[in-house]
C-alpha cells in the first residue's frame, strides 16, 4: 500500500527530526560538566577495559565498589571511544556516547 498525503509529510518530519537530533545531541554533550557519579563510572569503565584487554587476567573490575553488580558494557564502550578519540576530553566523549545511546533508545 502506497503512503500518501499527510502520512508522507509526517514521515518526512519525523525522519528530519531524528536526523537533526542525531547531530544536535552529541554536539550539546560538550556543553556540560561531569556529574557526581561519573568519576566512579569512568574508573570502573577503565577497569573493565583492562579486564578485557588483559585477556581476563586483571580482575580488579570484578570487585570495584558495587558497580560490578550493574554490568559495565556502557562504561567499557565509553573507554573504547575515549581511546579512539584520545584528543577529546574523556568526559565529553562519554557524554557523546550517552547522547547517541539515548538517541537510539
Amino acid at each position: 500500500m502506497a503512503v500518501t498525503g499527510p502520512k508522507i509529510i509526517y514521515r518526512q518530519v519525523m525522519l528530519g527530526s531524528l536526523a537533526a537530533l542525531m547531530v544536535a545531541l552529541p554536539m550539546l554533550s560538550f556543553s556540560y560538566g561531569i556529574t557526581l557519579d561519573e568519576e566512579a563510572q569512568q574508573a570502573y569503565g577503565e577497569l573493565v577495559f583492562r579486564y578485557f584487554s588483559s585477556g581476563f587476567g586483571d580482575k580488579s573490575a570484578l570487585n570495584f565498589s558495587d558497580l560490578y553488580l550493574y554490568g559495565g558494557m556502557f562504561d567499557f564502550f565509553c573507554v573504547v571511544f575515549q581511546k579512539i578519540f584520545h584528543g577529546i576530553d574523556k568526559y565529553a566523549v562519554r557524554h557523546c556516547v550517552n547522547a547517541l545511546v539515548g538517541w537510539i533508545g
Side-chain angles (χ1 to χ4, degrees):
M1 176 188 272
V3 179
T4 59
K7 289 184 180 181
I8 291 175
I9 294 170
Y10 175 77
R11 183 174 290 175
Q12 290 173 340
V13 168
M14 288 303 297
L15 291 176
S17 298
L18 285 173
L21 284 172
M22 186 176 174
V23 173
L25 289 174
M27 288 176 58
L28 291 171
S29 298
F30 292 95
S31 300
Y32 298 95
I34 64 172
T35 60
L36 184 63
D37 64 340
E38 263 184 304
E39 288 178 342
Q41 295 294 142
Q42 176 65 31
Y44 181 57
E46 291 169 4
L47 292 174
V48 173
F49 183 84
R50 284 195 341 220
Y51 175 72
F52 285 113
S53 63
S54 70
F56 311 110
D58 183 348
K59 299 189 184 304
S60 55
L62 301 178
N63 58 13
F64 180 76
S65 183
D66 65 346
L67 294 179
Y68 68 93
L69 298 171
Y70 298 97
M73 292 317 291
F74 176 80
D75 298 312
F76 169 75
F77 282 114
C78 286
V79 172
V80 168
F81 283 109
Q82 289 165 1
K83 294 195 179 297
I84 293 169
F85 301 105
H86 57 84
I88 302 173
D89 177 62
K90 61 185 176 183
Y91 291 104
V93 172
R94 182 177 194 83
H95 294 166
C96 285
V97 171
N98 194 16
L100 290 173
V101 168
W103 181 84
I104 290 168

XYZ file of all heavy atoms in Angstrom:
826
model
N 0.844 -1.168 0.000
C 0.000 0.000 0.000
C 0.895 1.239 0.000
O 1.804 1.367 0.809
C -0.912 -0.008 1.226
C -1.751 1.235 1.327
S -2.646 1.351 2.884
C -4.114 0.487 2.477
N 0.646 2.158 -0.892
C 1.432 3.381 -1.006
C 1.041 4.373 0.078
O -0.120 4.484 0.456
C 1.226 4.006 -2.379
N 2.036 5.077 0.591
C 1.802 6.105 1.602
C 1.543 7.421 0.878
O 2.299 7.828 0.017
C 3.026 6.234 2.532
C 2.794 7.299 3.559
C 3.330 4.898 3.186
N 0.458 8.082 1.243
C 0.092 9.321 0.547
C -0.291 10.414 1.522
O -0.569 10.174 2.689
C -1.119 9.075 -0.390
O -2.207 8.607 0.407
C -0.799 8.068 -1.465
N -0.320 11.644 1.008
C -0.844 12.791 1.745
C -0.139 13.090 3.041
O 1.090 13.158 3.100
N -0.940 13.273 4.110
C -0.380 13.659 5.409
C 0.626 12.650 5.963
O 1.521 13.020 6.701
C -1.596 13.755 6.312
C -2.749 13.949 5.410
C -2.397 13.263 4.128
N 0.479 11.379 5.590
C 1.418 10.372 6.089
C 2.822 10.622 5.564
O 3.803 10.409 6.278
C 0.946 8.967 5.706
C -0.267 8.519 6.480
C -0.626 7.103 6.127
C -1.843 6.658 6.917
N -2.217 5.290 6.616
N 2.930 11.077 4.338
C 4.247 11.376 3.766
C 4.878 12.549 4.509
O 6.045 12.515 4.877
C 4.143 11.689 2.261
C 3.780 10.426 1.493
C 5.451 12.267 1.733
C 3.541 10.651 0.022
N 4.108 13.580 4.749
C 4.621 14.756 5.458
C 5.038 14.370 6.879
O 6.110 14.760 7.348
C 3.565 15.885 5.473
C 3.337 16.385 4.057
C 3.994 17.019 6.390
C 2.169 17.324 3.902
N 4.203 13.583 7.555
C 4.518 13.131 8.910
C 5.830 12.345 8.914
O 6.695 12.574 9.752
C 3.375 12.270 9.445
C 3.656 11.649 10.789
C 3.583 12.409 11.946
C 4.005 10.308 10.895
C 3.850 11.851 13.186
C 4.272 9.741 12.121
C 4.192 10.512 13.260
O 4.454 9.952 14.477
N 5.992 11.451 7.968
C 7.202 10.633 7.890
C 8.430 11.501 7.632
O 9.474 11.315 8.247
C 7.061 9.574 6.802
C 8.276 8.656 6.730
C 8.066 7.538 5.774
N 7.070 6.637 6.378
C 6.575 5.582 5.776
N 6.929 5.287 4.559
N 5.697 4.822 6.381
N 8.303 12.476 6.747
C 9.426 13.363 6.442
C 9.802 14.217 7.657
O 10.982 14.420 7.934
C 9.094 14.254 5.246
C 9.037 13.493 3.939
C 8.535 14.348 2.789
O 7.902 15.368 2.995
N 8.826 13.893 1.580
N 8.805 14.695 8.377
C 9.075 15.492 9.575
C 9.756 14.623 10.632
O 10.728 15.053 11.276
C 7.773 16.117 10.131
C 7.971 16.690 11.523
C 7.259 17.180 9.181
N 9.291 13.413 10.815
C 9.895 12.519 11.806
C 11.331 12.169 11.441
O 12.227 12.220 12.292
C 9.063 11.235 11.951
C 7.738 11.443 12.655
S 7.913 12.174 14.304
C 8.822 10.914 15.128
N 11.583 11.816 10.180
C 12.945 11.482 9.763
C 13.864 12.689 9.864
O 15.019 12.563 10.282
C 12.934 10.909 8.347
C 12.295 9.531 8.202
C 12.252 9.114 6.731
C 13.040 8.501 9.020
N 13.363 13.850 9.506
C 14.156 15.075 9.632
C 14.473 15.386 11.082
O 15.593 15.785 11.413
N 13.497 15.201 11.959
C 13.710 15.443 13.391
C 14.731 14.464 13.966
O 15.608 14.852 14.746
C 12.400 15.309 14.161
O 11.477 16.268 13.733
N 14.624 13.208 13.579
C 15.580 12.208 14.060
C 16.990 12.526 13.585
O 17.957 12.412 14.344
C 15.168 10.815 13.601
C 13.999 10.191 14.347
C 13.578 8.882 13.683
C 14.354 9.960 15.794
N 17.120 12.945 12.328
C 18.437 13.299 11.796
C 19.004 14.516 12.524
O 20.192 14.542 12.879
C 18.338 13.563 10.298
N 18.169 15.510 12.760
C 18.629 16.713 13.462
C 19.062 16.376 14.888
O 20.083 16.874 15.374
C 17.527 17.768 13.468
N 18.310 15.523 15.565
C 18.661 15.135 16.933
C 19.943 14.312 16.977
O 20.730 14.424 17.917
C 17.515 14.358 17.584
C 16.339 15.201 18.036
C 15.201 14.297 18.481
C 16.752 16.137 19.155
N 20.162 13.485 15.951
C 21.378 12.676 15.913
C 22.621 13.552 15.850
O 23.675 13.190 16.352
C 21.351 11.724 14.722
C 22.493 10.766 14.683
S 22.263 9.661 13.295
C 23.781 8.756 13.345
N 22.493 14.720 15.239
C 23.607 15.665 15.162
C 23.643 16.557 16.402
O 24.698 16.794 16.990
C 23.492 16.522 13.879
C 24.529 17.615 13.855
C 23.605 15.637 12.647
N 22.486 17.044 16.818
C 22.423 18.024 17.908
C 22.793 17.437 19.264
O 23.497 18.089 20.048
C 21.022 18.639 17.974
N 22.334 16.236 19.571
C 22.582 15.666 20.897
C 24.070 15.504 21.199
O 24.529 15.938 22.260
C 21.831 14.342 21.056
C 20.308 14.463 21.167
C 19.660 13.088 21.180
C 19.924 15.238 22.405
N 24.870 14.894 20.309
C 26.308 14.827 20.619
C 26.969 16.203 20.685
O 27.860 16.426 21.501
C 26.886 13.999 19.468
C 25.747 13.191 18.984
C 24.540 14.072 19.152
N 26.529 17.146 19.844
C 27.119 18.485 19.890
C 26.839 19.165 21.227
O 27.702 19.860 21.772
C 26.591 19.333 18.731
C 27.156 18.919 17.384
S 26.465 19.826 16.008
C 26.851 21.501 16.437
N 25.658 18.971 21.759
C 25.314 19.555 23.058
C 26.088 18.908 24.203
O 26.219 19.502 25.273
C 23.809 19.428 23.305
C 22.911 20.289 22.425
C 21.459 19.902 22.613
C 23.133 21.760 22.734
N 26.600 17.710 23.976
C 27.322 16.989 25.025
C 28.572 17.715 25.489
O 29.061 17.475 26.594
C 27.718 15.596 24.520
O 26.579 14.856 24.204
N 29.108 18.595 24.667
C 30.323 19.312 25.034
C 30.033 20.487 25.967
O 30.953 21.117 26.466
C 31.033 19.810 23.772
C 31.588 18.691 22.937
C 30.867 18.171 21.878
C 32.825 18.144 23.230
C 31.369 17.134 21.110
C 33.341 17.105 22.478
C 32.603 16.600 21.417
N 28.774 20.781 26.210
C 28.394 21.950 26.993
C 28.147 21.652 28.466
O 27.705 22.530 29.200
C 27.119 22.566 26.399
O 27.342 22.948 25.069
N 28.420 20.442 28.903
C 28.071 20.063 30.267
C 29.290 19.530 31.011
O 30.173 18.916 30.426
C 26.959 19.006 30.268
C 25.700 19.530 29.642
C 25.413 19.304 28.304
C 24.817 20.295 30.384
C 24.266 19.818 27.730
C 23.662 20.806 29.809
C 23.400 20.558 28.480
O 22.270 21.067 27.919
N 29.309 19.743 32.310
C 30.371 19.219 33.155
C 30.047 17.805 33.599
O 29.036 17.221 33.211
N 30.916 17.263 34.451
C 30.706 15.887 34.904
C 29.690 15.862 36.050
O 29.525 16.833 36.774
C 32.027 15.219 35.319
C 32.656 15.902 36.522
C 32.995 15.198 34.169
C 33.856 15.167 37.072
N 29.025 14.748 36.182
C 28.049 14.572 37.252
C 28.720 13.896 38.451
O 29.880 13.488 38.387
C 26.858 13.723 36.770
O 27.352 12.433 36.366
C 26.151 14.385 35.612
N 27.983 13.773 39.515
C 28.532 13.264 40.766
C 29.082 11.843 40.636
O 30.112 11.509 41.220
C 27.453 13.313 41.852
C 27.876 12.913 43.250
C 28.940 13.862 43.771
C 26.686 12.891 44.177
N 28.424 10.989 39.890
C 28.836 9.590 39.819
C 29.761 9.278 38.649
O 30.253 8.167 38.530
C 27.608 8.687 39.752
C 26.784 8.894 38.497
O 26.912 9.960 37.868
O 26.008 7.991 38.153
N 30.031 10.255 37.801
C 30.798 9.955 36.585
C 32.248 9.570 36.839
O 32.801 8.773 36.081
C 30.762 11.135 35.615
C 29.711 10.958 34.567
C 29.726 12.059 33.548
O 29.618 13.231 33.927
O 29.827 11.725 32.357
N 32.864 10.119 37.859
C 34.255 9.744 38.136
C 34.353 8.257 38.486
O 35.245 7.554 38.019
C 34.837 10.610 39.245
C 35.096 12.036 38.813
C 35.638 12.905 39.927
O 35.509 12.521 41.118
O 36.172 13.963 39.608
N 33.419 7.782 39.287
C 33.413 6.361 39.647
C 33.090 5.503 38.427
O 33.712 4.457 38.215
C 32.407 6.097 40.759
N 32.126 5.941 37.623
C 31.770 5.188 36.413
C 32.945 5.146 35.437
O 33.195 4.125 34.800
C 30.553 5.804 35.734
C 29.280 5.734 36.530
C 28.766 4.325 36.727
O 28.259 4.022 37.781
N 28.874 3.467 35.749
N 33.672 6.253 35.333
C 34.842 6.305 34.458
C 35.918 5.340 34.945
O 36.489 4.588 34.157
C 35.390 7.734 34.388
C 36.655 7.879 33.582
C 36.461 7.583 32.114
O 35.398 7.803 31.552
N 37.506 7.087 31.475
N 36.184 5.358 36.238
C 37.182 4.447 36.807
C 36.774 2.996 36.584
O 37.611 2.153 36.228
C 37.362 4.733 38.297
N 35.497 2.713 36.762
C 35.009 1.352 36.540
C 35.147 0.955 35.071
O 35.568 -0.163 34.761
C 33.555 1.238 36.995
C 32.978 -0.136 36.823
C 33.578 -1.251 37.408
C 31.823 -0.339 36.072
C 33.044 -2.516 37.257
C 31.291 -1.601 35.923
C 31.897 -2.687 36.498
O 31.382 -3.936 36.344
N 34.839 1.865 34.165
C 34.997 1.580 32.740
C 36.433 1.267 32.378
O 36.709 0.375 31.564
N 37.368 2.004 32.977
C 38.777 1.728 32.721
C 39.186 0.360 33.258
O 39.968 -0.356 32.629
C 39.639 2.838 33.324
C 39.466 4.155 32.583
C 40.092 5.340 33.283
O 40.755 5.154 34.337
O 39.915 6.467 32.788
N 38.630 -0.026 34.400
C 38.912 -1.360 34.942
C 38.317 -2.454 34.066
O 38.951 -3.493 33.848
C 38.379 -1.483 36.371
C 39.085 -0.647 37.434
C 38.358 -0.766 38.774
C 40.534 -1.053 37.554
N 37.123 -2.242 33.561
C 36.504 -3.225 32.664
C 37.319 -3.329 31.372
O 37.546 -4.428 30.856
C 35.027 -2.860 32.370
C 34.438 -3.774 31.314
C 34.206 -2.929 33.639
N 37.788 -2.188 30.875
C 38.637 -2.205 29.674
C 39.910 -3.012 29.945
O 40.326 -3.812 29.108
C 38.982 -0.775 29.244
C 39.789 -0.724 27.989
C 39.160 -0.769 26.753
C 41.166 -0.647 28.037
C 39.899 -0.737 25.585
C 41.916 -0.615 26.882
C 41.287 -0.661 25.645
N 40.514 -2.791 31.105
C 41.723 -3.549 31.455
C 41.418 -5.042 31.586
O 42.244 -5.884 31.218
C 42.330 -3.025 32.752
C 43.054 -1.733 32.554
C 43.979 -1.315 33.663
N 43.797 -1.916 34.959
C 43.904 -1.264 36.099
N 44.159 0.022 36.100
N 43.745 -1.889 37.252
N 40.237 -5.370 32.089
C 39.831 -6.776 32.214
C 39.814 -7.452 30.844
O 40.378 -8.529 30.664
C 38.461 -6.845 32.881
C 37.858 -8.227 32.965
C 38.361 -9.177 33.839
C 36.769 -8.572 32.176
C 37.797 -10.437 33.931
C 36.195 -9.827 32.258
C 36.716 -10.760 33.133
O 36.164 -12.008 33.208
N 39.200 -6.796 29.866
C 39.119 -7.392 28.532
C 40.461 -7.328 27.806
O 40.849 -8.284 27.133
C 38.035 -6.712 27.701
C 36.648 -7.111 28.096
C 35.788 -6.202 28.669
C 36.202 -8.405 27.904
C 34.515 -6.563 29.043
C 34.925 -8.794 28.281
C 34.072 -7.867 28.852
N 41.183 -6.219 27.926
C 42.443 -6.079 27.199
C 43.552 -6.949 27.786
O 44.535 -7.236 27.101
C 42.886 -4.616 27.150
O 43.140 -4.124 28.441
N 43.408 -7.384 29.029
C 44.406 -8.275 29.628
C 44.066 -9.742 29.378
O 44.711 -10.624 29.952
C 44.503 -8.025 31.134
O 43.332 -8.466 31.794
N 43.049 -9.998 28.579
C 42.641 -11.384 28.338
C 42.008 -12.003 29.572
O 42.214 -13.181 29.854
N 41.251 -11.196 30.303
C 40.539 -11.600 31.517
C 41.482 -11.879 32.691
O 41.090 -12.507 33.658
C 39.645 -12.816 31.260
C 38.781 -12.693 30.049
C 39.021 -13.464 28.924
C 37.756 -11.776 30.011
C 38.233 -13.337 27.794
C 36.967 -11.637 28.892
C 37.204 -12.429 27.774
N 42.712 -11.375 32.613
C 43.677 -11.590 33.692
C 43.536 -10.593 34.826
O 43.649 -10.954 35.993
N 43.312 -9.326 34.492
C 43.157 -8.278 35.510
C 41.713 -8.293 35.990
O 40.814 -7.824 35.317
C 43.514 -6.920 34.908
C 43.446 -5.788 35.922
O 42.913 -6.003 37.038
O 43.915 -4.686 35.606
N 41.487 -8.811 37.170
C 40.131 -8.990 37.690
C 39.709 -7.892 38.668
O 38.748 -8.046 39.409
C 40.011 -10.356 38.347
C 40.261 -11.500 37.368
C 39.919 -12.812 37.978
C 40.226 -13.977 37.093
N 39.653 -13.992 35.793
N 40.400 -6.763 38.664
C 40.085 -5.697 39.610
C 38.694 -5.104 39.380
O 38.098 -4.553 40.300
C 41.152 -4.603 39.563
O 41.319 -4.122 38.253
N 38.163 -5.236 38.184
C 36.818 -4.720 37.905
C 35.737 -5.544 38.596
O 34.629 -5.058 38.813
C 36.557 -4.706 36.401
N 36.064 -6.760 38.939
C 35.058 -7.665 39.492
C 34.714 -7.381 40.950
O 33.780 -7.980 41.481
C 35.516 -9.117 39.335
C 35.772 -9.561 37.893
C 36.256 -11.002 37.874
C 34.533 -9.376 37.040
N 35.483 -6.501 41.585
C 35.159 -6.157 42.973
C 35.315 -4.658 43.226
O 35.644 -4.252 44.331
C 36.001 -6.981 43.950
C 37.487 -6.788 43.724
O 37.904 -5.883 43.013
N 38.277 -7.660 44.308
N 35.056 -3.857 42.209
C 35.152 -2.410 42.337
C 33.848 -1.862 42.890
O 32.813 -1.904 42.221
C 35.458 -1.780 40.974
C 35.582 -0.281 41.016
C 36.717 0.320 41.515
C 34.565 0.519 40.541
C 36.839 1.689 41.550
C 34.670 1.896 40.572
C 35.809 2.484 41.076
N 33.892 -1.389 44.118
C 32.712 -0.833 44.778
C 31.546 -1.804 44.616
O 31.709 -3.000 44.801
C 32.406 0.550 44.199
O 31.324 1.162 44.841
N 30.379 -1.294 44.275
C 29.255 -2.185 43.980
C 28.878 -2.106 42.499
O 27.863 -2.656 42.086
C 28.042 -1.849 44.850
C 27.467 -0.476 44.564
O 28.143 0.325 43.884
O 26.351 -0.194 45.001
N 29.721 -1.462 41.706
C 29.386 -1.266 40.297
C 29.407 -2.559 39.492
O 28.735 -2.660 38.471
C 30.318 -0.230 39.672
C 30.161 1.179 40.212
C 31.146 2.117 39.553
C 28.743 1.670 40.013
N 30.165 -3.560 39.951
C 30.182 -4.833 39.234
C 28.808 -5.490 39.221
O 28.524 -6.347 38.385
C 31.219 -5.781 39.850
C 30.862 -6.250 41.235
C 30.169 -7.440 41.423
C 31.206 -5.500 42.353
C 29.829 -7.870 42.690
C 30.873 -5.920 43.625
C 30.189 -7.105 43.793
O 29.853 -7.530 45.048
N 27.921 -5.070 40.103
C 26.570 -5.632 40.139
C 25.685 -5.116 39.001
O 24.645 -5.694 38.717
C 25.904 -5.302 41.485
C 26.588 -5.872 42.726
C 25.977 -5.290 43.982
C 26.515 -7.381 42.719
N 26.087 -4.021 38.375
C 25.260 -3.377 37.362
C 25.703 -3.662 35.935
O 25.043 -3.282 35.000
C 25.237 -1.862 37.594
C 24.641 -1.504 38.922
C 25.450 -1.252 40.016
C 23.263 -1.466 39.087
C 24.901 -0.939 41.245
C 22.709 -1.156 40.316
C 23.540 -0.887 41.389
O 22.994 -0.591 42.593
N 26.820 -4.275 35.744
C 27.334 -4.508 34.398
C 28.114 -3.300 33.919
O 27.824 -2.174 34.296
N 29.099 -3.548 33.099
C 29.978 -2.461 32.721
C 30.137 -2.228 31.232
O 31.085 -1.561 30.817
N 29.227 -2.750 30.405
C 29.435 -2.611 28.965
C 29.334 -1.159 28.494
O 30.114 -0.729 27.645
C 28.460 -3.495 28.173
C 28.728 -4.980 28.329
S 30.461 -5.504 28.258
C 30.890 -5.222 26.587
N 28.420 -0.383 29.038
C 28.339 1.020 28.645
C 29.636 1.737 29.002
O 30.214 2.451 28.178
C 27.148 1.714 29.310
C 27.089 3.180 29.008
C 26.574 3.624 27.803
C 27.587 4.113 29.905
C 26.539 4.983 27.504
C 27.557 5.462 29.618
C 27.030 5.901 28.408
N 30.106 1.529 30.222
C 31.348 2.163 30.663
C 32.527 1.668 29.832
O 33.432 2.436 29.503
C 31.582 1.898 32.148
C 30.466 2.480 33.005
O 30.116 3.652 32.790
O 29.937 1.757 33.855
N 32.530 0.391 29.492
C 33.575 -0.173 28.645
C 33.595 0.517 27.285
O 34.653 0.939 26.809
C 33.352 -1.685 28.478
C 34.206 -2.306 27.420
C 35.550 -2.529 27.642
C 33.659 -2.675 26.195
C 36.337 -3.117 26.662
C 34.435 -3.249 25.221
C 35.782 -3.476 25.451
N 32.431 0.652 26.658
C 32.392 1.278 25.339
C 32.740 2.760 25.404
O 33.312 3.303 24.455
C 31.041 1.046 24.659
C 30.921 -0.328 24.078
C 30.010 -1.225 24.587
C 31.739 -0.728 23.042
C 29.908 -2.499 24.068
C 31.663 -2.003 22.517
C 30.736 -2.889 23.025
N 32.433 3.413 26.510
C 32.866 4.804 26.675
C 34.381 4.892 26.640
O 34.947 5.764 25.972
C 32.328 5.379 27.983
S 30.572 5.747 27.947
N 35.056 3.984 27.335
C 36.519 3.990 27.355
C 37.075 3.632 25.979
O 38.062 4.224 25.528
C 37.053 3.047 28.450
C 38.568 2.892 28.372
C 36.650 3.557 29.819
N 36.441 2.700 25.279
C 36.891 2.357 23.922
C 36.835 3.591 23.029
O 37.809 3.903 22.320
C 36.037 1.205 23.326
C 36.293 1.051 21.841
C 36.310 -0.090 24.062
N 35.725 4.321 23.058
C 35.609 5.520 22.236
C 36.566 6.617 22.715
O 37.061 7.397 21.906
C 34.170 6.031 22.194
C 33.301 5.228 21.275
C 32.319 4.386 21.785
C 33.464 5.296 19.905
C 31.523 3.638 20.945
C 32.681 4.552 19.046
C 31.703 3.719 19.563
N 36.854 6.664 24.003
C 37.828 7.632 24.504
C 39.214 7.332 23.951
O 39.989 8.239 23.662
C 37.859 7.621 26.031
C 36.633 8.207 26.657
C 36.502 7.883 28.128
O 37.353 7.207 28.717
N 35.435 8.360 28.736
N 39.530 6.063 23.792
C 40.828 5.686 23.229
C 40.871 5.976 21.729
O 41.917 6.349 21.207
C 41.129 4.229 23.537
C 41.318 4.012 25.032
C 41.958 2.710 25.347
C 42.160 2.543 26.831
N 43.056 3.497 27.441
N 39.748 5.827 21.047
C 39.697 6.151 19.616
C 39.833 7.653 19.414
O 40.586 8.111 18.556
C 38.387 5.623 18.994
C 38.374 4.092 18.991
C 38.194 6.176 17.581
C 37.043 3.474 18.636
N 39.110 8.432 20.201
C 39.127 9.897 20.108
C 39.947 10.467 21.271
O 39.462 11.274 22.059
C 37.696 10.449 20.136
C 36.837 9.932 19.029
C 35.867 8.978 19.271
C 37.014 10.391 17.735
C 35.077 8.488 18.249
C 36.231 9.906 16.703
C 35.265 8.954 16.955
N 41.202 10.053 21.366
C 42.036 10.376 22.524
C 42.362 11.855 22.676
O 42.789 12.281 23.737
C 43.320 9.555 22.505
C 44.121 9.720 21.260
N 44.999 10.750 21.072
C 44.157 8.975 20.132
C 45.556 10.641 19.886
N 45.058 9.577 19.295
N 42.159 12.673 21.656
C 42.446 14.096 21.761
C 41.319 14.902 22.394
O 41.491 16.080 22.695
N 40.176 14.267 22.614
C 38.998 14.955 23.161
C 38.859 14.581 24.636
O 39.186 13.458 25.033
C 37.730 14.556 22.372
C 37.899 14.887 20.890
C 36.496 15.244 22.924
C 36.789 14.374 20.012
N 38.376 15.519 25.435
C 38.162 15.273 26.860
C 37.355 13.987 27.068
O 36.328 13.773 26.414
C 37.426 16.468 27.479
C 37.106 16.242 28.941
O 38.054 16.077 29.735
O 35.902 16.213 29.275
N 37.814 13.138 27.976
C 37.177 11.829 28.158
C 35.726 11.937 28.607
O 34.893 11.108 28.238
C 37.975 10.957 29.116
C 38.126 11.496 30.512
C 39.051 10.603 31.326
C 39.295 11.188 32.692
N 40.243 10.364 33.444
N 35.389 12.958 29.368
C 34.006 13.101 29.810
C 33.116 13.622 28.678
O 31.941 13.270 28.604
C 33.912 13.980 31.053
C 34.520 13.295 32.255
C 35.770 13.663 32.732
C 33.858 12.252 32.877
C 36.328 13.017 33.819
C 34.406 11.597 33.961
C 35.647 11.980 34.424
O 36.191 11.322 35.500
N 33.663 14.420 27.788
C 32.895 14.863 26.622
C 32.591 13.676 25.718
O 31.479 13.554 25.191
C 33.658 15.942 25.861
N 33.571 12.799 25.547
C 33.333 11.586 24.748
C 32.274 10.729 25.419
O 31.365 10.207 24.768
C 34.648 10.784 24.554
C 34.387 9.449 23.894
C 35.650 11.598 23.751
N 32.362 10.602 26.724
C 31.373 9.823 27.484
C 29.976 10.398 27.307
O 29.001 9.669 27.134
C 31.798 9.829 28.959
C 30.951 9.046 29.866
C 31.544 9.081 31.280
N 30.894 8.070 32.037
C 31.224 6.787 32.043
N 32.245 6.378 31.357
N 30.542 5.924 32.738
N 29.870 11.722 27.323
C 28.572 12.371 27.135
C 28.045 12.150 25.725
O 26.835 11.975 25.521
C 28.674 13.864 27.439
C 28.974 14.148 28.871
N 29.374 15.387 29.312
C 28.950 13.360 29.977
C 29.581 15.354 30.613
N 29.323 14.118 31.038
N 28.939 12.159 24.725
C 28.518 11.890 23.345
C 27.988 10.469 23.197
O 26.962 10.250 22.549
C 29.684 12.108 22.375
S 30.073 13.820 22.060
N 28.695 9.519 23.783
C 28.231 8.124 23.734
C 26.869 8.016 24.412
O 25.950 7.363 23.896
C 29.258 7.173 24.391
C 28.703 5.771 24.531
C 30.552 7.155 23.603
N 26.710 8.678 25.539
C 25.443 8.660 26.254
C 24.336 9.276 25.397
O 23.211 8.760 25.340
C 25.582 9.417 27.572
C 24.443 9.168 28.521
O 23.681 8.223 28.359
N 24.329 10.011 29.516
N 24.637 10.372 24.713
C 23.642 11.019 23.852
C 23.239 10.104 22.698
O 22.048 10.008 22.359
C 24.195 12.342 23.316
N 24.201 9.422 22.105
C 23.876 8.525 20.982
C 23.078 7.314 21.444
O 22.171 6.856 20.749
C 25.145 8.111 20.253
C 25.813 9.239 19.470
C 27.154 8.784 18.908
C 24.907 9.735 18.355
N 23.395 6.794 22.625
C 22.603 5.682 23.165
C 21.176 6.161 23.445
O 20.206 5.452 23.166
C 23.267 5.100 24.435
C 22.337 4.157 25.172
C 24.550 4.385 24.058
N 21.044 7.365 23.972
C 19.709 7.936 24.184
C 18.972 8.122 22.877
O 17.767 7.870 22.798
N 19.679 8.563 21.842
C 19.050 8.742 20.529
C 18.556 7.408 19.985
O 17.460 7.312 19.454
C 20.045 9.381 19.553
C 19.465 9.614 18.200
C 18.724 10.685 17.798
C 19.545 8.743 17.076
N 18.364 10.525 16.476
C 18.848 9.335 16.024
C 20.142 7.499 16.852
C 18.732 8.760 14.763
C 20.030 6.921 15.606
C 19.336 7.549 14.584
N 19.362 6.370 20.133
C 18.965 5.043 19.657
C 17.714 4.572 20.407
O 16.806 4.004 19.814
C 20.110 4.024 19.827
C 21.223 4.347 18.830
C 19.614 2.595 19.632
C 22.512 3.599 19.092
N 17.684 4.863 21.721
C 16.528 4.472 22.529
C 15.297 5.194 22.108
O 14.190 4.678 22.070
